[in-house]
Amino acid sequence: MISKYKKLMKKGSITHYCYLNSPLGKLILAGDKNFLILIEFPDKKRAKKPDKGWLYSPSRFKPECDELIRYFQGELKKFSIKCHITGTAFQKKVLNELKKIPYGQTMSYSDVADRIDHPRACRAVGSANGKNRLPIIFPCHRVISNSGKLGGFSGGLSIKRKLLELELEHV
């Protein structure tokens, strides 16, 4: 269950969600009336499901779905979706740095650590990536190991590989 995401929502606000069919499978998008808070890959092994109190609202996510569809078609390189990210100050710093990695390019965990002025924090960068609730928008799939191996990804390595291949097709 995604009950811990209730904490992300303002008291009294309704959590909306929808599904988006993508080349990666069906995605769950969730948020409040103003911000996207979650993109989830529901076909993965430990898929999160919407809580009972969530409201299925596909029309609420039309702008987000439109941008994601354009991204998957190779037409959109940067997102303008209004998002709410959570985590520690360090995690937020990592996530915001991810948005600076150019479309179709990769960077190592240590490169990201250097860019946020924490050169010894490679593992912490990996951990922050793993806690990213807005993959694709905050492109943690573009972060790989120094050796060139893919490393980890919340949606699984096959999805990470597909995202990187998709971007390389449209650079």
Side-chain angles (χ1 to χ4, degrees):
M1 287 285 239
I2 312 179
S3 58
K4 66 181 176 180
Y5 296 102
K6 287 180 183 177
K7 296 175 186 175
L8 302 178
M9 304 298 168
K10 295 177 188 145
K11 276 194 168 183
S13 76
I14 297 170
T15 302
H16 301 268
Y17 77 99
C18 77
Y19 295 100
L20 173 66
N21 290 319
S22 79
L24 308 173
K26 191 186 287 189
L27 304 177
I28 294 175
L29 282 66
D32 62 18
K33 66 180 182 175
N34 298 310
F35 298 101
L36 182 66
I37 293 175
L38 174 72
I39 296 176
E40 180 64 59
F41 303 99
D43 295 336
K44 72 180 190 179
K45 192 185 253 184
R46 288 181 292 217
K48 295 174 178 70
K49 305 284 186 228
D51 281 345
K52 289 180 183 177
W54 288 16
L55 180 62
Y56 181 66
S57 310
S59 61
R60 152 56 190 98
F61 295 98
K62 183 169 179 5
E64 291 88 345
C65 289
D66 288 348
E67 283 198 24
L68 285 163
I69 290 166
R70 289 179 48 226
Y71 166 81
F72 289 123
Q73 293 171 340
E75 298 171 5
L76 183 77
K77 311 292 191 232
K78 288 187 178 188
F79 293 96
S80 63
I81 295 171
K82 292 186 341 184
C83 300
H84 177 75
I85 57 173
T86 60
T88 66
F90 178 84
Q91 290 166 341
K92 290 176 181 180
K93 197 172 187 180
V94 169
L95 293 178
N96 284 315
E97 191 63 35
L98 299 180
K99 289 190 96 171
K100 298 176 186 175
I101 303 172
Y103 179 95
Q105 295 183 26
T106 58
M107 186 175 287
S108 72
Y109 294 98
S110 61
D111 289 337
V112 174
D114 287 342
R115 291 179 98 181
I116 61 167
D117 297 323
H118 291 278
R120 295 184 177 192
C122 303
R123 288 185 174 200
V125 166
S127 177
N129 279 356
K131 293 177 179 160
N132 180 5
R133 297 292 157 231
L134 292 161
I136 305 170
I137 309 297
F138 292 85
C140 53
H141 62 277
R142 296 180 189 156
V143 184
I144 61 173
S145 70
N146 281 335
S147 68
K149 291 185 180 179
L150 292 184
F153 187 68
S154 63
L157 290 182
S158 65
I159 289 179
K160 184 172 186 169
R161 188 174 294 108
K162 285 179 187 177
L163 286 167
L164 292 171
E165 289 170 355
L166 176 134
E167 290 184 7
L168 286 175
E169 281 179 37
H170 300 287
V171 173

